[in-house]
Amino acid sequence: MLILIKLLLIVVFLTILYQDVKERLVYWFLYPLVGVLGFIIQKYYLIWSVLFVNSFINLILILTLISTTFLYYKFIVKEIHFNQSIGKGDILLFLFLPFTFPTIPFWIFFVFSLLFSLLLYYFVKQKKKDIETIPLAGYIALFFAMVYFCSLFINKNLLYFN
C-alpha cells in the first residue's frame, strides 16, 4: 500500500511539472494532494506527535521564508513585484511541502530542490532562449518526485528518523 501511495505522489509531482512547464498554470488541488499524500507516507514511519511537530516546524520556517521575501520586496526594493518574482502556485507548493518529510531531511531536500531548479533553468535557458521565467513549482516537483522514486529503493531510516 505504501508503494502505491508513493507512486501516486510521484505522479502528482510529475503532473505539477508538466502543467507548470507546459501551461504555466497548475490545478490548485494538486498542491493539497501533495501535502496529504506526503503526510500519509510519513505516518507509516513516525508517531503522531513527532509527525505534527515536524510539520509545524517546517511550516513555520516556510512561512518565515515567504514573509521575509515579501518584506524584502516591500521595504528594501520598495516595489511589490512579488507575484512576478514568485507565483501563487510556487507559494502553494511551499505551503504543502512541509508535510512531506521530517524537519532535517525536508530542509536538505528543499534547499537542494531550489539549487536543482536554478541549474535546470540555466541548462534549459541555453537551449531555449525565449524562456524568461522559472517554472519553480514544476522543477521543485521534479526534484521531490526523484527523491520519492529513490526512496522506493533505500532504507527508510535515511529519510524518516526521529
Side-chain angles (χ1 to χ4, degrees):
M1 183 67 171
L2 180 62
I3 292 174
L4 291 175
I5 295 171
K6 284 185 179 183
L7 291 174
L8 179 59
L9 183 55
I10 291 169
V11 168
V12 171
F13 277 131
L14 293 177
T15 304
I16 291 171
L17 168 68
Y18 177 78
Q19 289 182 349
D20 200 20
V21 169
K22 181 85 171 163
E23 303 167 15
R24 304 294 292 161
L25 188 63
V26 178
Y27 292 131
W28 69 268
F29 63 86
L30 293 175
Y31 301 116
L33 194 54
V34 164
V36 168
L37 292 173
F39 195 81
I40 291 169
I41 292 168
Q42 273 198 88
K43 181 55 192 126
Y44 274 91
Y45 301 113
L46 302 172
I47 61 173
W48 284 108
S49 59
V50 172
L51 181 60
F52 283 118
V53 168
N54 284 338
S55 297
F56 180 74
I57 291 170
N58 291 346
L59 190 58
I60 291 299
L61 291 170
I62 285 290
L63 289 172
T64 302
L65 179 71
I66 293 170
S67 300
T68 303
T69 304
F70 178 78
L71 292 172
Y72 170 78
Y73 273 93
K74 183 171 181 154
F75 295 113
I76 304 298
V77 177
K78 305 258 191 227
E79 294 179 25
I80 301 183
H81 295 289
F82 194 69
N83 198 30
Q84 293 173 346
S85 301
I86 187 166
K88 292 174 184 149
D90 303 330
I91 292 172
L92 281 173
L93 185 63
F94 286 5
L95 293 176
F96 288 100
L97 275 178
F99 302 98
T100 57
F101 285 104
T103 301
I104 294 172
F106 170 73
W107 282 98
I108 292 169
F109 295 144
F110 186 72
V111 168
F112 277 96
S113 73
L114 293 172
L115 293 172
F116 172 81
S117 298
L118 185 62
L119 288 173
L120 188 56
Y121 171 74
Y122 174 76
F123 288 119
V124 170
K125 180 82 170 161
Q126 297 300 315
K127 294 194 181 246
K128 295 182 178 181
K129 303 288 185 194
D130 60 335
I131 295 176
E132 295 181 15
T133 59
I134 300 175
L136 186 60
Y139 290 170
I140 289 174
L142 174 60
F143 184 86
F144 273 84
M146 293 186 305
V147 167
Y148 275 101
F149 180 76
C150 292
S151 79
L152 296 171
F153 307 104
I154 63 172
N155 183 347
K156 70 170 180 84
N157 292 330
L158 294 173
L159 299 176
Y160 300 96
F161 52 86
N162 318 1

